[in-house]
Amino acid sequence: MSDLLLVLVQTALLVLLAPLWAGLVAALKARLQMRRGAPVWQRWRDLVKLSAKETLLSEDASPLACVVPYAVLAASFTVCAWTPVLATRDGLGFAGDLVMTVALFAAVRVLLALLALECGTTFGGMASSRHLALSALGEPAMILSVFTLAIGAGSTQLSRISAAVAAAPAQWLSPSHLLALTAMWLVVLSETGRVPVDNPVTHLELTMVHEGMVLDVSGRHLALLEWAAHARTLVLLTLVANLFMPWGIAGVASPAALGIALGAWLIKLLIFAVVVAVTESVTARMRLFRVPEFLGMAFLLALLALSTDSLLRG
């Protein structure tokens, strides 16, 4: 399979399956809570329904409010293009790596904060300030945790990091690797707005963080932002799956190897969905002033992972 075709296939998988993963988590939570719940594809139904509705804008909104949803969607899909899903081949690795991924995610956060401020409501300003504050605490932990793996790979390209970790399975249980994996998982919970940092299904304005960012968005714009959020969630989960646990990922783009890689990736996503559903069913959302401690622990674990790895290599 050519590099271009592989990039297109991997991007399509992330873009199309992202809403299904969110629906799977909701369905599992419903079963754990003895409810029937909505079908797995309910998120796609919601996106289609929202895209058919009229988009309403505040009288105080600037033209930026019309541009941000499309810019956020484009940035989210761009990250999908160089995220290793099935194989460790570079693909578009020359165009984006770990640094570019973090930079685009940061740009998305700034755009969402500006969009939340466009309507001039109190809840939008509150949610944007909380969102940026939590992201400022979680971003260094994410960078340090992946840098722990990048040092061994000698590159910040995601595909090369995945290939280097896959080539050394004996190191998967090393202290630095496990510390980095734990830190990355805590950051993923924060970045995706999951319990215990945030509740993705809450409708209480005073407690919302991620959902409060799009509280005043409607119609097609809301559909674009929701689709982009699902894509970013699946990208982060894929980074955990294929950078820290790259078992099954294909080293060569043969049909058999890609089939095994697809099955391994889907199994890991299913495991993540079960873990998230169980966690959200038995754990309450922590109070806002405790979240910095949660993210501070993630940063400390990532720093310990990087220090431990440097000492072992030195």
Side-chain angles (χ1 to χ4, degrees), residues 122-300:
T122 303
F123 294 121
M126 185 186 305
S128 61
S129 62
R130 291 175 177 177
H131 181 70
L132 293 178
L134 298 183
S135 299
L137 295 173
E139 188 175 289
M142 180 172 63
I143 294 177
L144 289 180
S145 61
V146 183
F147 268 165
T148 303
L149 306 181
I151 291 176
S155 174
T156 57
Q157 290 189 11
L158 301 179
S159 57
R160 295 187 181 181
I161 296 174
S162 179
V165 177
Q171 301 297 323
W172 295 0
L173 297 179
S174 64
S176 60
H177 189 93
L178 295 178
L179 288 171
L181 173 59
T182 304
M184 185 65 178
W185 182 253
L186 297 181
V187 173
V188 168
L189 292 180
S190 174
E191 289 293 319
T192 56
R194 312 300 307 198
V195 175
V197 177
D198 194 13
N199 189 350
V201 297
T202 183
H203 296 288
L204 300 176
E205 289 86 351
L206 292 177
T207 61
M208 285 191 296
V209 180
H210 294 79
E211 291 297 321
M213 305 282 288
V214 295
L215 189 62
D216 298 303
V217 184
S218 62
R220 185 185 305 108
H221 288 177
L222 181 58
L224 296 177
L225 293 177
E226 291 290 343
W227 195 5
H230 293 320
R232 293 194 303 276
T233 297
L234 199 58
V235 165
L236 290 172
L237 293 172
T238 302
L239 292 181
V240 175
N242 288 344
L243 296 188
F244 294 87
M245 300 180 295
W247 50 268
I249 193 168
V252 294
S254 63
L258 293 178
I260 295 174
L262 177 60
W265 179 62
L266 293 177
I267 290 174
K268 284 181 276 190
L269 291 182
L270 176 60
I271 294 174
F272 293 159
V274 173
V275 172
V276 170
V278 172
T279 301
E280 295 187 352
S281 297
V282 300
T283 306
R285 177 186 180 275
M286 66 176 61
R287 301 180 68 178
L288 185 62
F289 71 88
R290 299 293 302 275
V291 177
E293 299 177 6
F294 180 85
L295 295 176
M297 180 175 62
F299 177 78
L300 179 60

